[in-house]
Amino acid sequence: MSRRIEIVEVGPRDGLQNEKALLEIDQKIELIQRLERAGARRMETVSFVNPKRVPQMAGAEEISAALPHAEGRSRIGLVLNERGWDRCLAAGCDEANVVVCATDGFGIRNQGASVEEQVAAMRKIAARKHAEGGPPITVTISVAFGCPFEGEVSEAQVLRIVRAAAEAEVDELALADTIGVADPWLVRRRIEATRTAAPGLRLRMHFHDTRNTGLANAFASVEAGVEVLDASCGGLGGCPFAPDATGNIGTEDLVYMLERAGYSTGYDLEALIATADWVTGLLGKQPTASVSRAGGFPLSRAAG
């Protein structure tokens, strides 16, 4: 049996949060349903942030209410603080993704909190989960490879947060290249350092493709033994607080690369391409993912 790589679809959250066009709640729900029909089993569906700051993420409770729990599927809510955790619990999300920025410069602009304040909030959320119950918690360290305001981010900076997450006994840790500055060699070194600092903690990687290195970084992660990667259908996305950052690696690009190499992802490539065409049509743009433009291979649809 081929090795399975789990792809976490972040399009309904990371993919939409930086778009100028605002989708209606029913359109967001349809996007989620289309992605699940295409094979998504873990997905960031909502973000519990202030809709005044990120209007694209409005309607988190309504979207969650329209998605009843389903066997084998996990709908993830993004959480920045205890207020977000409370909303995530009330909405019945299957997982909570708690974000901690690796720099004060980014954290204050993105979340209105320093690294120290964010780590403290993460510890409180994890402690509440262990004491009171709640969904699994994954911690994403954003700007883990570089910050648009402070420049290079040292390994030591990242590892302080890694150790704090491990001490809090979270369920999974993600390293995010939020602005797309990483290279495959740095990715491998940071994975190795993270594993040393937090042995046994499940690791996930999140790459934006701002400088066209996203797939190379995903390849380096798989070669280093990582089995969970984030991606966004159509290559949509970006952070509204990260100047010029573009979307995540396209889900269809990642699926194509992995399955051509013999890995299993559980996704239907043609359904992903159709979904990318549909959602980018709503947004008034073209997919940035290459496979949505070129198709798979061997060709399964007529060439233009």
Side-chain angles (χ1 to χ4, degrees):
M1 180 179 293
S2 61
R3 178 181 165 194
R4 179 67 174 253
I5 301 295
E6 181 179 36
I7 299 176
V8 180
E9 174 60 52
V10 299
R13 196 277 303 174
D14 201 334
L16 299 180
Q17 69 178 5
N18 204 37
E19 293 295 329
K20 294 180 181 179
L22 302 182
L23 297 189
E24 300 293 335
I25 288 174
D26 61 342
Q27 292 173 323
K28 295 177 187 177
I29 293 168
E30 183 172 353
L31 172 60
I32 293 164
Q33 292 171 334
R34 284 174 178 256
L35 287 166
E36 289 187 337
R37 289 196 294 270
R41 289 297 174 263
R42 285 183 76 194
M43 192 184 325
E44 283 196 350
T45 52
V46 293
S47 178
F48 295 103
V49 296
N50 187 340
K52 292 181 180 179
R53 296 196 73 202
V54 190
Q56 298 88 338
M57 293 294 98
E61 281 79 6
E62 293 87 343
I63 293 168
S64 298
L67 298 170
H69 293 288
E71 185 69 28
R73 293 178 181 174
S74 185
R75 284 76 173 251
I76 306 168
L78 183 131
V79 169
L80 302 183
N81 48 41
E82 284 192 89
R83 169 61 179 151
W85 172 250
D86 290 335
R87 291 177 64 193
C88 184
L89 288 178
C93 290
D94 300 304
E95 291 182 58
N97 180 22
V98 180
V99 177
V100 177
C101 303
T103 67
D104 287 339
F106 195 77
I108 289 169
R109 289 170 175 83
N110 187 60
Q111 295 172 214
S114 67
V115 175
E116 183 178 348
E117 290 168 331
Q118 293 171 69
V119 169
M122 179 270 294
R123 289 184 186 275
K124 289 178 181 177
I125 291 168
R128 286 183 56 189
K129 185 253 185 180
H130 294 310
E132 304 164 7
I137 293 174
T138 181
V139 169
T140 294
I141 304 177
S142 66
V143 293
F145 297 90
C147 172
F149 309 110
E150 297 188 17
E152 299 289 350
V153 175
S154 71
E155 183 176 288
Q157 283 177 272
V158 174
L159 293 184
R160 280 194 290 271
I161 304 170
V162 168
R163 293 188 183 97
E167 290 166 2
E169 298 182 342
V170 301
D171 298 280
E172 183 182 69
L173 179 71
L175 301 182
D177 186 16
T178 309
I179 60 172
V181 294
D183 63 76
W185 297 272
L186 175 60
V187 166
R188 178 178 282 275
R189 291 195 302 271
R190 205 135 288 184
I191 289 170
E192 291 171 351
T194 297
R195 286 212 175 105
T196 300
L201 184 57
R202 192 181 197 209
L203 188 58
R204 191 176 92 242
M205 304 300 288
H206 177 106
F207 297 114
H208 286 252
D209 201 28
T210 312
R211 292 166 178 81
N212 203 33
T213 56
L215 280 178
N217 292 333
F219 168 80
S221 301
V222 172
E223 289 290 286
V226 171
E227 296 183 334
V228 192
L229 298 165
D230 288 353
S232 175
C233 183
L236 294 175
C239 176
F241 306 105
D244 300 321
T246 59
N248 283 81
I249 51 178
T251 311
E252 55 271 49
D253 290 353
L254 185 58
V255 167
Y256 175 79
M257 181 181 77
L258 291 171
E259 295 201 345
R260 280 283 289 178
Y263 293 97
S264 170
T265 68
Y267 279 81
D268 180 328
L269 184 59
E270 289 301 313
L272 278 174
I273 293 171
T275 300
D277 289 342
W278 174 80
V279 70
T280 53
L282 292 179
L283 296 169
K285 62 192 301 183
Q286 296 294 316
T288 61
S290 297
V291 171
S292 275
R293 298 195 302 270
F297 185 84
L299 296 175
S300 56
R301 57 179 181 174

